[in-house]
Amino acid sequence: MIHARDQRPRRRWSTRQATALYLVSIAVILPGMALAGYGVLSALTLWHQKVLLLSVGWLLTAVLALLVLLHYLRLSRTEAELERSEQSLRQINDSLEAELRIAAMAFETHLGMFITDADGIIRKVNVTFERITGYSADEVLGENPRLLNSGRHDADFYREMWGSIHEKGSWQGEVWNRRKNGDTYPQWVTISAVKDAEGKITHYVATISDITHRKAAEQEAHRLAFFDPLTGLPNRRMLLDRLAEALEASRQSEQQGVLLFIDLDGFKHINDSLGHQCGDELLQLMARRIQAVSRDVDLVARLGGDEFVILAEGLGETIDGTSQAAERLATKLLGKLTEPCWLSERRHLLSGSIGITLLGDGVGRAEECLQQAEMAMYQAKQAGRNTLRFFDPVMQAVAVRRAMIESDLRQAARRGELKLFYQIQVDGKSQVTGVEALLRWEHPEHGMIPPNDFIPVAEESYLIVAIGNWVVETACRQLARWASDPRTAELTMAINISPLQFQQPDFVANLAAVLETTGARPERLKLELTETLFMEEPEAVRETMLRVQAMGVRFSLDDFGTGYSSLSYLSCLPLDQLKIDQSFVRTLFEDASNEMISATIISLGRNLGLEVIAEGVETLAHRDWLEAHGCHAYQGYLYSRPLPIHALTGLLELSTCAAGR
């Protein structure tokens, strides 16, 4: 039967405990042994031998105990060092295992990886490599990475790549490779050399990433930034970049180039009448025609709308030769643009106006060069369209003056530089019936600016709306002042209204507000309109005229016979007066056709029940001829030049007014 104490586990003694037990045993046994020895010696030797023997025994015991203690201490230190070494080894082992796990995880990443030996033979690939290339590990292990080459890179490319690896230890860059199915694709590749302790290359590690989508996104971004989405042609940004390069090249080369600015004639009418879809088809067709005429080396760009540009370099070494080559190109292009176009099963005819400027002809910037070509294009437009014009330095001076005029004109009204002059109108008895208010600009530095210089600028820059409102208000205030004087109360005030001003949605409301604010009598106000106003949306114009007429304001058709001159609108528009243009009256006796036109206008007005007034009457001969043909209202230098208000007041005091007779 096993006792309970026999079931206790046996205790294992550590080295330190065993050593301590050994020392205790020595300390107990040695004195006994010494005593036992003392008993034997006491019988055999003298008493002094006993003392010596006892001393030696105790000395030996102390030495032995000291040796045992030193041994114990040495064993303790050794054991502690062993424990520390074991702990360090465990930490190193754990770290190595973690690094191996991390390396394994990193190898199986979203980047394709492959490892080759020093000879470039593939030894290991990861799953991503297989997915990107289409090759399995079994198909590439033992092979050279050259099997991935697409053939798009030459030997110099790879020579430079391996030179960087051997010199710097690594290389990275874009490489076009070939998949197993034969597709070529762009990769971003990083190759690093692995060396041993002696600096000898043992392996190469490469990572690859498929950048097909990134390249596609970059190309799309480039296309959107530098190409027109409708026609696929380069846009304004790319043109200016290429033009800047061309200007720099022309300064360093004997070869010269040109810039052709093309604007389509009649495109707006087709685009508005048929819709933007047909307009887009037409622009695409014209883009193809311009490309067909241009050389392969020329840059054809679309700036926007119906404006195109051709940048043609290397046309000749002399200005004459380059100009002749540019003219031949432009003439050929004009012929191509006038070919019939079929849109929505309908035949349409267009043309183009082309402006040409030479590169390097004193031009410093790309924007300046483009501006010169555009100015030449506008000259072609003014010359009748479907033609070409070369840039003339005089155009530049005109453009600079126009820019100055526009800049100063924006401040003119605020500075009080705009003024109204008045030219009297008389009846057949030379009695004053009214005046025409004429806008004048007294520039503080340049004096009086001719109306023909600044009014077109005001219309093109839309300043004419604000300026026209100022003219209406100022003239109505003067008309209200005259109403208080019996001599001038019945005078009429004629005001020229710009088509742009008349077409404003709030024109009628603004006019009504001015009449109410100033107190001017509407029936004494006469608005002079030009024929160009009726060329677009005549029904809308007629509706506005009827609303204005309902307030009591009258209308005069200015410059009749010089513009649209369609008789169809005369019978349906609420007109009160026809005005014979001064260009017919001043040259009345110099051209027989002017006499015929003037007589026809007088007869037409009389038949339609309209008043007829002639401007530009400068001589008695003019006046007598007009009176003989039935015109009894006149305006011109024969009676008075346009005068400021103080001079006009003096003239009215000396003259007989129709209302005051």
Side-chain angles (χ1 to χ4, degrees), residues 102-116 122-133 137 140-141 148 187-188 190 192 204-209:
I102 294 173
M105 294 175 63
F107 194 73
E108 298 302 334
T109 181
H110 68 284
L111 295 176
M113 297 185 67
F114 66 93
I115 301 174
T116 73
I122 299 177
R123 297 304 180 189
K124 187 173 180 59
V125 300
N126 67 354
V127 175
T128 308
F129 173 91
E130 295 177 311
R131 179 177 56 79
I132 292 176
T133 64
V140 298
L141 294 180
L148 303 175
Q187 288 182 340
W188 187 260
T190 300
S192 300
Y204 295 100
V205 178
T207 61
I208 60 175
S209 59

Side-chain angles (χ1 to χ4, degrees), residues 54-170:
L54 183 60
S55 300
V56 172
W58 280 109
L59 181 60
L60 291 174
T61 300
V63 171
L64 182 59
L66 179 61
L67 292 176
V68 172
L69 179 60
L70 293 174
H71 180 66
Y72 169 74
L73 294 176
R74 187 165 53 251
L75 289 176
S76 298
R77 286 195 299 270
T78 302
E79 183 177 2
E81 291 176 358
L82 288 174
E83 288 182 0
R84 287 194 297 271
S85 298
E86 290 177 359
Q87 184 178 2
S88 178
L89 289 173
R90 284 194 299 272
Q91 292 176 349
I92 293 173
N93 185 57
D94 292 342
S95 178
L96 289 175
E97 290 180 355
E99 290 180 2
L100 289 174
R101 288 194 301 271
I102 294 173
M105 294 175 63
F107 194 73
E108 298 302 334
T109 181
H110 68 284
L111 295 176
M113 297 185 67
F114 66 93
I115 301 174
T116 73
D117 57 21
D119 296 326
I121 303 303
I122 299 177
R123 297 304 180 189
K124 187 173 180 59
V125 300
N126 67 354
V127 175
T128 308
F129 173 91
E130 295 177 311
R131 179 177 56 79
I132 292 176
T133 64
Y135 289 99
S136 66
D138 294 337
E139 292 174 313
V140 298
L141 294 180
E143 299 291 338
N144 191 287
R146 282 193 295 269
L147 65 89
L148 303 175
N149 287 358
S150 64
R152 296 185 61 167
H153 304 289
D154 55 20
D156 291 338
F157 174 83
Y158 292 104
R159 189 179 301 110
E160 181 180 351
M161 179 184 73
W162 285 107
S164 176
I165 295 173
H166 293 148
E167 179 181 351
K168 301 177 182 178
S170 64

Side-chain angles (χ1 to χ4, degrees), residues 61 195 250 294 340 470 489 491:
T61 300
K195 300 180 181 180
S250 67
S294 305
W470 176 86
L491 293 179

Side-chain angles (χ1 to χ4, degrees), residues 212-417:
T212 302
H213 296 299
R214 191 185 79 184
K215 292 288 290 185
E218 290 176 354
Q219 292 174 357
E220 178 64 13
H222 182 271
R223 186 185 68 82
L224 293 175
F226 293 98
F227 290 87
D228 171 48
L230 178 63
T231 62
L233 297 176
N235 61 11
R236 184 186 188 94
R237 180 178 176 183
M238 176 175 280
L239 170 68
L240 291 176
D241 289 347
R242 283 285 303 275
L243 183 54
E245 296 174 0
L247 289 172
E248 181 63 27
S250 67
R251 285 189 283 267
Q252 301 175 1
S253 172
E254 295 182 355
Q255 287 290 328
Q256 298 190 32
V258 298
L259 190 70
L260 286 76
F261 196 110
I262 306 139
D263 185 89
L264 302 180
D265 303 325
F267 170 77
K268 185 178 185 300
H269 173 72
I270 295 178
N271 190 57
D272 292 343
S273 59
L274 299 183
H276 294 297
Q277 182 176 354
C278 289
D280 290 346
E281 293 179 8
L282 181 60
L283 290 174
Q284 292 170 340
L285 174 60
M286 290 301 168
R288 291 193 295 270
R289 289 185 177 181
I290 296 173
Q291 284 181 301
V293 172
S294 305
R295 303 173 303 169
D296 293 338
V297 295
D298 296 339
L299 176 70
V300 179
R302 180 188 175 216
L303 300 184
D306 58 345
E307 295 177 340
F308 298 84
V309 169
I310 299 177
L311 174 59
E313 300 181 72
L315 293 184
E317 296 182 356
T318 64
I319 294 179
D320 290 342
T322 303
S323 300
Q324 292 174 7
E327 186 173 359
R328 288 193 298 269
L329 175 61
T331 302
K332 184 178 179 181
L333 180 58
L334 289 174
K336 190 70 174 179
L337 295 177
T338 55
E339 294 179 0
C341 306
W342 291 91
L343 297 173
S344 301
E345 299 182 353
R346 294 178 59 185
R347 183 173 179 268
H348 300 276
L349 295 176
L350 269 77
S351 62
S353 298
I354 302 178
I356 308 171
T357 187
L358 301 181
L359 303 185
D361 189 16
V363 181
R365 297 181 300 107
E367 293 84 356
E368 182 182 354
C369 183
L370 185 61
Q371 185 183 42
Q372 290 182 355
E374 185 177 13
M375 284 190 289
M377 181 274 295
Y378 283 121
Q379 290 292 320
K381 287 276 189 185
Q382 295 175 5
R385 305 185 177 188
N386 191 28
T387 186
L388 62 92
R389 286 292 184 271
F390 280 86
F391 172 77
D392 189 330
V394 175
M395 299 180 191
Q396 185 71 22
V398 172
V400 171
R401 176 172 172 78
R402 183 196 180 283
M404 181 274 294
I405 290 175
E406 179 179 345
S407 177
D408 291 350
L409 190 58
R410 293 183 182 276
Q411 310 296 328
R414 181 177 59 84
R415 295 172 178 172
E417 298 170 7

Side-chain angles (χ1 to χ4, degrees), residues 419-423 440 641-650:
K419 304 180 185 303
L420 284 186
F421 278 42
Y422 303 89
Q423 188 173 34
R440 294 294 184 264
R641 291 178 176 270
L643 300 173
I645 186 60
H646 66 275
L648 175 66
T649 302

Side-chain angles (χ1 to χ4, degrees), residues 5 46 81 273 494 517 605:
R5 65 176 179 269
L46 299 175
E81 291 176 358
S273 59
T517 301

Side-chain angles (χ1 to χ4, degrees), residues 567-587:
L567 302 181
S568 61
Y569 63 79
L570 288 179
S571 60
C572 63
L573 293 178
L575 294 171
D576 300 281
Q577 185 184 70
L578 293 181
K579 196 170 193 179
I580 304 175
D581 186 66
Q582 59 183 343
S583 62
F584 300 130
V585 178
R586 287 177 177 172
T587 58

